[in-house]
Amino acid sequence: MSEVIEEAAPTGVGAIVVGTFPLASGEWIRPHRHPQHQLAWSRGGVLGVAVDDTHWILPPTRALWIPAGIVHRTGASREAVLRSLYFEPDRCPLTWTEPTPVAVDGLLAHLIGHLGRDDLATDARLRAEAVVFDLLHPLPATPIDVPDATDERVRAVTEHLLADPADRRGLDVHARAVGVSRRTLTRLFVHDTGMSFDRWRTHMRLRAALPLLAAGRTVADAARSVGYATPSAFVAAFRRTVGTSPKRYLG
C-alpha cells in the first residue's frame, strides 16, 4: 500500500461535522485515515470505498460507516459529491468497530444536508444529531472481496480480467498466456489470492457490475457487460456470494 495520509476532518460545533468533496468520474482519494468515525455518502453518483481488498459500492440509498483509524480509499465510478459525516469518538454512542453499510432514506439524506449548513444554531444542531444517531442501522450485506495479486503470473491474469470482466475464456487459456500449466496457475491463484480462479473471477464480475446497476442499468445489461450469459445466472451468483439479490443489496 502507498503512504497512508493522516487526514483530519473539518471542525465545527457538535458531535457531527459534514464535509463536502466533489469527485470526478474515476477519481480515487489516496489511502488515508481519520481520528474521527466517518459516514461516507453521496446524494448523486456512485461511490466506492476500499479497505484493503474489500470494496463497497454505494449508490445514494447506501452509506458506509468507517471507524476511526481505518485506512481506506474513496472514489467514484461516475461524477459524484462525497458528503462525509465525521463523528467525534468520545461523543458518539455507536460502537461499531468494522466498516458497516447503512441505509440512507429521505429523512437521513435531509438531515445530512441540514447539518451541512454553517448557520445552524447550536441547539438545532444537537437535536438533528440525536435523530441521525437514531437512524443509523446496519445493513445485513456481505462486502465483495477481490484480492490483489502479487505473483507476476497471477497478476497478469487478474489485470487482464479487471480490464475486461466479460472475458469468458477458461483457466487453460489464461495459463497458456502466462506460460504455465493449468495445474500451476490453479495452485498459484489460491496461494496468491486465497481464492480459486473461478471464485476470484465471480467476485470481480459482481463488483464490476454493481456500479452499472447503481447507475440505473438493467440486470440483463449489467450481467452481459461482465460476462454472464443470462441475467438469472448473474442473479444466482450474486445471491450465493452476497446473500441477497442485487435489487435488495442496492436498496
Side-chain angles (χ1 to χ4, degrees):
M1 179 179 288
S2 57
E3 181 183 357
V4 174
I5 299 172
E6 297 286 349
E7 188 172 284
T11 58
V13 178
I16 303 174
V17 176
V18 179
T20 301
F21 310 95
L23 292 171
S25 178
E27 179 183 359
W28 281 82
I29 300 171
R30 291 175 59 188
H32 62 283
R33 58 188 165 211
H34 309 282
Q36 298 87 7
H37 305 310
Q38 179 187 5
L39 188 74
W41 174 72
S42 176
R43 180 180 290 276
V46 181
L47 290 181
V49 177
V51 177
D52 295 326
D53 294 325
T54 302
H55 284 65
W56 287 265
I57 303 299
L58 307 173
T61 55
R62 178 174 292 242
L64 186 71
W65 174 270
I66 306 168
I70 295 289
V71 177
H72 60 283
R73 295 184 300 121
T74 307
S77 59
R78 62 190 179 101
E79 187 174 310
V81 177
L82 169 64
R83 300 298 302 271
S84 281
L85 278 67
Y86 298 97
F87 303 78
E88 291 296 337
D90 61 350
R91 302 177 64 184
C92 178
L94 300 178
T95 58
W96 302 340
T97 59
E98 299 292 336
T100 303
V102 301
V104 179
D105 61 11
L107 177 56
L108 181 55
H110 179 77
L111 284 169
I112 292 171
H114 185 62
L115 288 170
R117 293 170 48 186
D118 56 11
D119 61 345
L120 198 59
T122 300
D123 57 345
R125 176 174 295 278
L126 295 177
R127 288 194 298 269
E129 288 179 353
V131 179
V132 167
F133 289 127
D134 286 341
L135 293 176
L136 298 181
H137 302 289
L139 288 170
T142 303
I144 300 172
D145 296 338
V146 183
D148 290 332
T150 55
D151 182 282
E152 61 181 11
R153 294 157 293 185
V154 179
R155 189 169 64 248
V157 176
T158 60
E159 287 179 350
H160 170 78
L161 291 173
L162 287 166
D164 183 14
D167 186 344
R168 299 182 186 176
R169 294 180 301 167
L171 188 60
D172 288 333
V173 176
H174 293 292
R176 287 196 297 271
V178 296
V180 298
S181 68
R182 175 191 175 95
R183 182 176 180 179
T184 297
L185 187 58
T186 298
R187 175 178 53 80
L188 289 172
F189 237 97
V190 173
H191 181 269
D192 203 32
T193 69
M195 296 181 176
S196 68
F197 169 80
D198 287 339
R199 185 182 176 206
W200 186 93
R201 181 163 63 176
T202 295
H203 281 222
M204 176 275 300
R205 285 174 165 175
L206 299 183
R207 193 181 78 185
L210 277 172
L212 304 179
L213 293 168
R217 303 269 286 272
T218 66
V219 170
D221 190 17
R224 185 170 52 251
S225 296
V226 299
Y228 282 91
T230 65
S232 60
F234 168 76
V235 172
F238 199 98
R239 284 185 179 277
R240 285 195 305 270
T241 303
V242 181
T244 188
S245 69
K247 182 178 180 180
R248 288 184 64 84
Y249 182 91
L250 293 172

